[in-house]
Amino acid sequence: MSDATPPQSAGRRMGKTLAIYTLARLALVAVLAAIILGVAAIVKVDIPAIVALLFALLIALPLSLLVFKKLRTQLNRDIAAFDEKRRSDKEQLMSRLRGEEK
């Protein structure tokens, strides 16, 4: 391949950004669950951990759209770059299979 960049660079960058975004969202759920359990302990209400996690998950879904906007935007850019590279590689392969030379 005549690309100046390594063939896996777009995929690696996307994978790294996806891992960071996923870990950030999981951390948000954990922090929210801890807050819910902490507030429950302060007001002396017994809340099971699974219930606190479910509420934290419900709260984190829309909140992560606001809190992690930059990460999500970067992930969308990386996905688009990876998809474009995949399309161009597929087009190049199809032209080679047809016997066309570049």
Side-chain angles (χ1 to χ4, degrees):
M1 297 198 185
S2 62
D3 263 356
T5 61
Q8 295 294 327
S9 66
R12 287 180 194 218
R13 189 174 56 244
M14 181 185 69
K16 181 182 173 186
T17 307
L18 180 62
I20 292 170
Y21 183 63
T22 301
L23 289 175
R25 289 185 73 180
L26 288 173
L28 180 63
V29 170
V31 167
L32 289 173
I35 290 171
I36 291 170
L37 289 172
V39 170
I42 290 172
V43 295
K44 297 182 178 156
V45 175
D46 188 30
I47 295 178
I50 190 74
V51 173
L53 281 171
L54 287 174
F55 277 117
L57 184 64
L58 287 174
I59 295 168
L61 286 172
L63 189 60
S64 68
L65 293 176
L66 299 172
V67 175
F68 303 126
K69 185 175 182 176
K70 281 186 180 180
L71 270 175
R72 195 179 71 251
T73 303
Q74 181 62 42
L75 182 60
N76 287 341
R77 274 191 238 121
D78 291 346
I79 289 171
F82 179 78
D83 194 38
E84 181 60 35
K85 178 163 180 14
R86 186 188 57 80
R87 277 193 200 120
S88 73
D89 288 348
K90 182 180 177 182
E91 181 67 30
Q92 185 179 19
L93 176 64
M94 294 303 286
S95 70
R96 283 184 181 175
L97 288 174
R98 288 189 299 262
E100 301 170 0
E101 293 293 324
K102 279 193 167 186

